[in-house]
Amino acid sequence: MKEEINEEAYWSRETFAHYGLAMYFAQSLEKSLGIWITFTLTKDREITKFQFDYELEEMFKNTFGGLILIIKNKGIGIESGLMSKLEKALMERNRLAHHYWWEHSISSAKMEGK
């Protein structure tokens, strides 16, 4: 089914679609980081699938920033260049989640801002 929409409605949809995609990638990175940390912390232990699943669910209770702190506090080996990229990704994720719509509240209401 093809819906006819005007140009402003099209660009509104595009704005929300791109925002949603950016947040999807940010949350995918966050979940992937939680999975990687859980594997790293359990790889040398004999645990059951139930124990692993429990630890994974506990890890998922952390925020992106909390996961970065776990890496630092537990001394998990990670390249410094990668850590700085994760910290930059955290700042951008937080900006998108907490400030993006406020930063663009006026411009996104205008056709030129979309």
Side-chain angles (χ1 to χ4, degrees):
M1 179 171 113
K2 187 174 180 179
E3 179 184 2
E4 295 293 325
I5 59 173
N6 65 33
E7 186 177 10
E8 187 169 355
Y10 170 82
W11 287 111
S12 289
R13 283 186 179 185
E14 285 296 300
T15 299
F16 281 96
H18 284 275
Y19 175 83
L21 188 59
M23 286 305 297
Y24 166 78
F25 284 132
Q27 290 185 336
S28 294
L29 176 59
E30 184 176 338
K31 288 296 183 187
S32 297
L33 193 57
I35 293 167
W36 176 77
I37 293 169
T38 304
F39 272 114
T40 300
L41 294 177
T42 61
K43 69 180 180 180
D44 295 327
R45 297 176 13 221
E46 286 192 34
I47 60 173
T48 66
K49 179 186 178 320
F50 177 80
Q51 289 169 314
F52 179 82
D53 289 346
Y54 174 79
E55 292 193 31
L56 184 61
E57 285 303 314
E58 289 298 305
M59 191 63 64
F60 284 161
K61 292 178 182 178
N62 289 285
T63 62
F64 196 163
L67 294 171
I68 290 174
L69 285 176
I70 289 170
I71 293 169
K72 290 177 178 179
N73 293 339
K74 298 229 181 235
I76 296 173
I78 188 170
E79 295 176 18
S80 62
L82 181 54
M83 180 55 77
S84 65
K85 288 178 182 180
L86 288 173
E87 289 170 339
K88 184 178 177 184
L90 170 64
M91 290 187 330
E92 186 61 19
R93 178 257 176 233
N94 287 343
R95 186 188 72 78
L96 283 171
H98 303 295
H99 305 290
Y100 178 83
W101 292 112
W102 182 251
E103 291 170 355
H104 298 281
S105 61
I106 294 173
S107 64
S108 64
K110 300 176 185 177
M111 179 61 180
E112 300 81 32
K114 293 178 172 54

